[in-house]
Amino acid sequence: SLPDALPTFTGDKTLMGESNLCYDLPYFRKVEKLVIEGSVHLHAFVFLWGHCRALKFLKMGSVVSNNGTSTNVLVYEVFTLLLQVNKMAFLEELHIKNLKVRSLHMGLLLLDNLPHLQKASNFLLDIYGQDLILFKQNLPFLNQKKGLVLDYKDC
């Protein structure tokens, strides 16, 4: 059975998988809303993405490689692998601080492969030229098709 209160991770330190997460607890697969105040280490993020199969709402700080940085390390290849592990079939909202979209492929991968995504924020478009134009041309189609609301900024 599920505990009365699902885990909430707060604080200004980086959530590290090996020291903060109990890997043998079965309730992660039933978590529908996950909010993490502060940064998340890449290993913890991979664990949460892989195990939180019922997730509908995800909000967290930057995904980092160590405590001393605030640069988001998520790239196309990471999301490609993560979507093979967990398709996030129920995810409706995605909010990851400073999520740099470094290529047209990365942006479209996220927006096209999350079937129920309705709202996303903190996308930093680090793409230029024709790729940026194509990405922005796809937004009205995605908005019409899925009702997607995307909050983004150009870098």
Side-chain angles (χ1 to χ4, degrees):
S1 75
L2 292 175
D4 291 336
L6 293 174
T8 301
F9 305 104
T10 60
D12 59 354
K13 300 203 184 240
T14 302
L15 174 67
M16 307 289 282
E18 61 274 6
S19 60
N20 297 97
L21 298 174
C22 297
Y23 291 104
D24 58 348
L25 296 177
Y27 56 74
F28 280 104
R29 69 178 172 263
K30 298 185 184 204
V31 173
E32 292 183 0
K33 181 177 182 179
L34 182 61
V35 177
I36 302 171
E37 301 293 335
S39 297
V40 178
H41 190 275
L42 180 59
H43 294 134
F45 178 74
V46 168
F47 170 84
L48 292 168
W49 186 284
H51 286 81
C52 295
R53 300 200 171 262
L55 208 56
K56 293 180 179 180
F57 181 94
L58 175 62
K59 180 180 180 187
M60 63 178 50
S62 296
V63 178
V64 299
S65 61
N66 62 48
N67 276 333
T69 183
S70 63
T71 303
N72 201 318
V73 297
L74 294 174
V75 295
Y76 174 80
E77 292 79 10
V78 171
F79 278 115
T80 300
L81 292 172
L82 290 174
L83 286 166
Q84 291 174 18
V85 172
N86 181 1
K87 300 219 181 288
M88 284 291 178
F90 305 105
L91 190 65
E92 296 172 2
E93 291 197 36
L94 175 65
H95 310 282
I96 300 174
K97 184 177 180 183
N98 299 326
L99 179 59
K100 258 192 189 179
V101 177
R102 294 177 169 96
S103 70
L104 175 62
H105 295 303
M106 180 178 173
L108 296 180
L109 174 77
L110 290 172
L111 299 178
D112 287 342
N113 289 289
L114 298 171
H116 290 99
L117 188 66
Q118 297 173 356
K119 190 172 185 181
S121 67
N122 299 318
F123 276 41
L124 298 175
L125 302 183
D126 194 14
I127 52 180
Y128 305 94
Q130 190 63 27
D131 284 351
L132 181 60
I133 293 167
L134 289 171
F135 183 82
K136 289 181 177 181
Q137 284 176 345
N138 273 290
L139 290 180
F141 170 74
L142 290 168
N143 189 321
Q144 183 179 18
K145 176 180 157 188
K146 301 191 327 181
L148 176 68
V149 175
L150 177 64
D151 171 39
Y152 68 90
K153 290 189 263 181
D154 295 341
C155 283

